[in-house]
Amino acid sequence: MALLTPDDLKDINKQLQEADSIVWKVTGLDIKGVCKALYGTSPNSEKVGIVPVTSGNGIIGNFSASLHAITQYFGFDSFVTNMSDVSGYYEAVRSGADIILMADDHTFLAHNLKNGKIANNQPSTGIIYAEIASRNQKTDSKDVLVVGLGKVGFPGAVHLVHKGFRVYGYDTDRTLLKRAVSSLGIIPLDIESPKKFSTIFEATPCANTIPETLISKNCVLSTPGIPCAISEELRLKYDVQLVMEPLGIGTASMLYSVL
Ligand code: NAI
Ligand code: PYL
Ligand code: MG
């Protein structure tokens, strides 16, 4: 998994506020509203315990502090444990956490100890970014392009197919593309005769994955992928509505899904 860096998480509150206003512009709802519409849930004074984890590449500077800021932003009562790992988990439970948030290099989970529900960041992120794309108010077109069909992109593509969209897909990994075509019935993007899209969902760890040939004016690009899927030059040239934020939107999706 591509790991976040402390720099990605700088000024997380500002990044969240900016993302919230773009989500509002694109969908007519804020991030909370999208989560509520998606899962039919709302927070009800749940206490979230955030446990730092040292295994693998270890603690990421700003990670736990960002989760603290994010959970507070979405109206949860939250705290970061003093201890890490197993001791931190014990501390969180003993301090009354209803929901545990913790991540190693492979899995970032939210576990609601009261109802047993558990969420994984990758599908939760794919689903909410796909949901935001699907709510593009500026178009009636049912065509959506999905670029990147991995652990985040594939669940997002599934969500769009289930919502009745005509999903075009592309992944440089031919095996993953074939899997999506055969299991979901998505249309493989023909790079030779490209088509312009007004809605794109991108989930790759690579920069500049969306070429100019695919972008229409004012298109919505909903992308959790880091680094950014389009150049600043193309974003400005086509007035692209860019929904991109490093941690908060996906975390909100996880939390609302376990309520
Ligand atoms: P993954 O490795 O499972 O999937 C990425 C897919 O992108 C692969 O199938 C790969 O073949 C494909 N790909 C790479 N270059 C491509 C290109 N030029 N064109 C088309 N496809 C291409 O990774 P995963 O877990 O799905 O994560 C995707 C991205 O999302 C990563 O950058 C990750 O850091 C980010 N992420 C962001 C989150 C957020 O909250 N903003 C949360 C979780 C992940
Ligand atoms: C959750 C993010 C989204 C993108 N990549 C994922 C990542 O960076 N995962 C690793 C998280 C490790 C956290 C570390 C800590 O500080 O507790 N163990
Ligand atoms: Mg996010």
Side-chain angles (χ1 to χ4, degrees):
M1 184 196 297
L3 302 183
L4 289 167
T5 67
D7 258 9
D8 294 329
L9 298 170
K10 258 192 197 149
D11 290 328
I12 195 71
N13 262 312
K14 188 164 165 247
Q15 295 197 58
L16 258 180
Q17 279 162 22
E18 286 170 3
D20 226 353
S21 69
I22 294 185
V23 169
W24 176 267
K25 220 165 134 185
V26 167
T27 69
L29 294 171
D30 60 8
I31 299 166
K32 278 185 189 173
V34 175
C35 288
K36 192 174 173 195
L38 182 54
Y39 297 111
T41 56
S42 292
N44 184 20
S45 312
E46 286 81 5
K47 197 166 170 180
V48 179
I50 298 153
V51 182
V53 174
T54 64
S55 72
N57 281 286
I59 300 288
I60 294 177
N62 294 339
F63 187 77
S64 292
S66 296
L67 291 181
H68 190 228
I70 289 162
T71 46
Q72 305 266 315
Y73 184 90
F74 289 108
F76 292 87
D77 176 14
S78 63
F79 64 96
V80 180
T81 57
N82 294 312
M83 304 291 279
S84 62
D85 307 304
V86 176
S87 303
Y89 182 91
Y90 184 66
E91 181 188 333
V93 176
R94 293 301 299 255
S95 306
D98 301 305
I99 298 174
I100 302 288
L101 275 184
M102 60 185 186
D104 66 13
D105 295 348
H106 303 285
T107 304
F108 170 25
L109 65 80
H111 191 189
N112 187 329
L113 304 177
K114 296 290 182 288
N115 63 18
K117 291 186 187 175
I118 193 161
N120 180 306
N121 176 252
Q122 289 161 320
S124 302
T125 298
I127 289 165
I128 194 164
Y129 277 85
E131 176 71 18
I132 292 165
S134 78
R135 289 177 173 269
N136 179 0
Q137 298 185 114
K138 294 267 168 63
T139 180
D140 292 329
S141 168
K142 284 298 215 182
D143 292 353
V144 182
L145 172 63
V146 178
V147 177
L149 292 159
K151 291 185 262 337
V152 174
F154 186 79
V158 172
H159 185 67
L160 290 165
V161 168
H162 287 166
K163 285 197 81 170
F165 283 84
R166 193 179 307 111
V167 178
Y168 290 75
Y170 180 66
D171 196 299
T172 43
D173 182 330
R174 306 282 304 170
T175 311
L176 287 187
L177 180 58
K178 273 189 187 158
R179 174 189 70 164
V181 169
S182 63
S183 66
L184 299 179
I186 70 168
I187 304 157
L189 180 76
D190 180 2
I191 294 282
E192 297 305 313
S193 55
K195 156 182 165 58
K196 299 253 178 208
F197 288 88
S198 50
T199 310
I200 302 174
F201 162 55
E202 194 264 9
T204 84
C206 301
N208 304 324
T209 53
I210 312 294
E212 185 163 7
T213 45
L214 300 174
I215 305 170
S216 57
K217 191 87 182 159
N218 280 130
C219 83
V220 166
L221 172 54
S222 184
T223 174
I226 300 165
C228 187
I230 52 162
S231 64
E232 189 58 5
E233 185 197 338
L234 285 185
R235 186 181 73 77
L236 294 172
K237 182 171 173 189
Y238 288 90
D239 275 327
V240 174
Q241 307 291 301
L242 180 64
V243 179
M244 182 182 129
E245 184 280 335
L247 189 62
I249 296 178
T251 303
S253 178
M254 295 164 73
L255 289 169
Y256 274 73
S257 78
V258 301
L259 293 177

